[in-house]
Amino acid sequence: MKLQVLYFAWLRERIGLAEERVEPPQEVASVADLVGWLRSRGAGYAEALADPGRVRCAINQEFATLGAALAHGDEVAFFPPITGG
Amino acid sequence: MKLQVLYFAWLRERIGLAEERVEPPQEVASVADLVGWLRSRGAGYAEALADPGRVRCAINQEFATLGAALAHGDEVAFFPPITGG
Amino acid sequence: MAFIRVGPEDFDPAAEVVALQAEAGDAGAIATFLGIVRRGQDKPIEAMTLEHYPGMTERAIARMVAEAESRWPLSGCRVIHRTGRIPVGGRIVLVLTASRHRQAALEATSFLIDWLKVGAPFWKKEHPEAGEGRWVEARPADDAAAGRWH
Amino acid sequence: MAFIRVGPEDFDPAAEVVALQAEAGDAGAIATFLGIVRRGQDKPIEAMTLEHYPGMTERAIARMVAEAESRWPLSGCRVIHRTGRIPVGGRIVLVLTASRHRQAALEATSFLIDWLKVGAPFWKKEHPEAGEGRWVEARPADDAAAGRWH
């Protein structure tokens, strides 16, 4: 399964990337699985994704929960709670 | 008792006056008394002041009720319910 | 602190926002309400005349603004209400409030326009495209809207 | 019907009112909300950077506007939200709605700004006069304000 993963605001800064194409192992089926796998990829990831309470997610530009299932080709974004307006 | 009386909107049009100085007889002590006395002054007055439910009043530029007392030198205004804004 | 103007001159909403921002200092939120002469559908009009009670109008508006300032933390407020004949599409009234808090600005603006409709001595006369001018009747809905704020 | 723009360009509130009036036809009421970068008191800032999620932002705003249009009889609506670095006093966001009814315009404007704060993917970073930039934390009060509209 290939995914396009986007990071915004301080997640982007800590991970050091705005966007990347990843191919996680087959057992990664949900957003929560993906978070766990990403955390294992380095200190920046581990730090950025340490507290799920501070991280929000969207799949294909729609808000999603940690339990949401992933599919090949999905665009998955991680970001902090919104502070616009 | 001398009073300055002002009329606005359709009251002004029916009475044919925007403002006048009046000296009603001594028994005129309240707004209601004044309305009664003004009505007796002509057809325009009688028509404009026929329905107290459609007439509002201010004394010295403060909203007042029909029962309010009048004093020498007061500025008394009669007008329809407000339609501004 | 508030700026109140009642008279026949037209106003420029943009210039008023700039003026408000200058007065308000460090405001993060500016809410405005602009009232415009509607043509209407059933009996289209070409203009409206606004009559007022000079002196009492300004006092009544000043009192409303003071009330708004006591209820919400405003850093600036401007109320402009035109009088005289205004064509369809023309501006009648502008309420602007500034605050650090967006809800304060929005609520104070709502409050002021609701009260202006029932508490300041203005009367509207509509001029239809055909026929005589007619005075607008007060709407009970306006009293109800102002009553929300008690 | 609605006009939505997200991007770094500044906007002119007056031109937007004119555009809205042209789109809205016979609207009697225009309500606006303008958000401005505040300097703040405790740790004054000199600018703010707004980051967003291109694509998702526009979709989220379009959905909010559609929801507002389903709740209130709007004859026009414009939402403009800037991105990138904006100095203190600079404009961030403008919401304009037009309606025949003043309460519809005022309520829809409130609704849209409340939802923009929590439902469109924007993130603010403050740049203090001294020291490092810091990301603004989301405020529970904003969730509560948006929750009023459920």
Side-chain angles (χ1 to χ4, degrees):
Chain A
M1 179 168 68
K2 286 181 182 170
L3 302 168
Q4 193 73 16
V5 185
L6 284 66
Y7 308 102
F8 291 97
W10 52 259
L11 281 96
R12 174 179 53 71
E13 290 179 342
R14 287 188 201 165
I15 291 168
L17 271 175
E19 193 161 354
E20 63 181 327
R21 200 161 180 77
V22 299
E23 199 167 345
Q26 223 164 352
E27 63 268 24
V28 169
S30 70
V31 173
D33 297 339
L34 179 63
V35 167
W37 177 71
L38 288 168
R39 269 196 210 131
S40 71
R41 298 181 75 212
Y45 291 96
E47 196 202 336
L49 299 166
D51 179 359
R54 299 186 64 205
V55 176
R56 300 290 179 271
C57 174
I59 300 175
N60 300 325
Q61 307 193 351
E62 300 284 344
F63 291 105
T65 58
L66 278 175
L70 297 172
H72 178 77
D74 277 351
E75 176 178 301
V76 185
F78 293 103
F79 44 77
I82 281 163
T83 56
Chain B
M1 181 169 62
K2 287 180 183 172
L3 301 169
Q4 193 72 13
V5 185
L6 284 65
Y7 308 102
F8 291 98
W10 52 258
L11 280 95
R12 175 179 52 70
E13 290 178 345
R14 289 190 198 163
I15 292 169
L17 270 178
E19 192 163 351
E20 64 181 326
R21 197 158 182 78
V22 299
E23 198 166 345
Q26 220 164 353
E27 62 269 26
V28 169
S30 69
V31 173
D33 296 339
L34 179 63
V35 168
W37 178 71
L38 288 168
R39 270 195 210 130
S40 72
R41 299 182 75 211
Y45 291 95
E47 197 199 337
L49 299 167
D51 180 359
R54 298 186 65 208
V55 176
R56 301 289 178 271
C57 172
I59 301 176
N60 300 323
Q61 307 193 349
E62 301 284 343
F63 291 105
T65 59
L66 278 176
L70 297 172
H72 179 76
D74 278 350
E75 176 177 300
V76 185
F78 293 102
F79 44 79
I82 281 165
T83 56
Chain C
M1 184 175 65
F3 174 90
I4 295 164
R5 197 181 77 202
V6 178
E9 307 81 26
D10 196 5
F11 51 81
D12 172 3
E16 297 305 325
V17 170
V18 169
L20 182 72
Q21 238 189 306
E23 288 157 10
D26 199 30
I30 292 180
T32 75
F33 180 86
L34 172 63
I36 292 165
V37 178
R38 289 189 58 222
R39 186 163 180 273
Q41 290 176 313
D42 300 338
K43 296 174 185 168
I45 65 166
E46 58 179 31
M48 199 169 253
T49 295
L50 276 124
E51 182 167 330
H52 80 304
Y53 183 172
M56 182 172 172
T57 316
E58 291 82 354
R59 288 169 66 154
I61 297 175
R63 201 173 303 146
M64 282 170 214
V65 169
E67 177 68 25
E69 286 172 336
S70 77
R71 291 185 182 213
W72 292 281
L74 303 183
S75 47
C77 178
R78 294 175 86 82
V79 177
I80 302 177
H81 201 302
R82 287 177 70 196
T83 58
R85 192 178 172 106
I86 308 174
V88 163
R91 292 177 275 262
I92 304 170
V93 59
L94 181 70
V95 175
L96 301 106
T97 63
S99 178
R100 290 167 57 178
H101 307 288
R102 74 178 183 286
Q103 251 166 297
L106 285 160
E107 286 181 15
T109 298
S110 257
F111 170 87
L112 286 167
I113 191 68
D114 281 352
W115 273 103
L116 270 172
K117 294 257 174 192
V118 299
F122 288 104
W123 303 277
K124 282 180 181 151
K125 188 176 202 172
E126 296 178 334
H127 303 285
E129 291 176 354
E132 283 280 290
R134 56 180 176 245
W135 291 97
V136 175
E137 295 282 326
R139 302 188 322 141
D142 287 329
D143 284 315
R148 287 192 299 152
W149 300 103
H150 274 303
Chain D
M1 183 175 66
F3 174 90
I4 295 165
R5 196 181 78 200
V6 179
E9 307 81 28
D10 197 5
F11 51 80
D12 171 3
E16 298 304 326
V17 170
V18 170
L20 181 73
Q21 236 188 306
E23 288 157 13
D26 199 31
I30 292 181
T32 75
F33 180 85
L34 171 64
I36 292 165
V37 179
R38 287 188 60 220
R39 185 163 180 272
Q41 291 177 311
D42 300 341
K43 295 172 185 170
I45 65 167
E46 59 179 32
M48 200 171 252
T49 297
L50 277 127
E51 182 167 329
H52 79 305
Y53 184 172
M56 180 170 173
T57 315
E58 291 81 354
R59 289 168 64 155
I61 296 176
R63 200 171 305 144
M64 282 171 214
V65 168
E67 176 69 25
E69 287 172 335
S70 77
R71 292 184 182 214
W72 291 280
L74 302 183
S75 47
C77 178
R78 295 175 86 83
V79 177
I80 302 178
H81 201 302
R82 287 178 70 196
T83 58
R85 190 178 173 106
I86 308 173
V88 163
R91 292 177 274 263
I92 304 171
V93 60
L94 181 69
V95 174
L96 299 106
T97 62
S99 177
R100 292 167 55 178
H101 307 290
R102 75 179 181 285
Q103 250 165 298
L106 284 160
E107 286 181 14
T109 297
S110 256
F111 170 87
L112 285 168
I113 190 68
D114 280 353
W115 273 105
L116 269 173
K117 294 260 173 191
V118 299
F122 288 104
W123 303 278
K124 281 179 182 152
K125 188 177 201 171
E126 295 178 335
H127 303 287
E129 292 177 351
E132 283 280 288
R134 55 178 180 246
W135 291 97
V136 174
E137 296 282 328
R139 301 187 325 140
D142 287 330
D143 284 314
R148 285 192 299 150
W149 300 102
H150 276 302

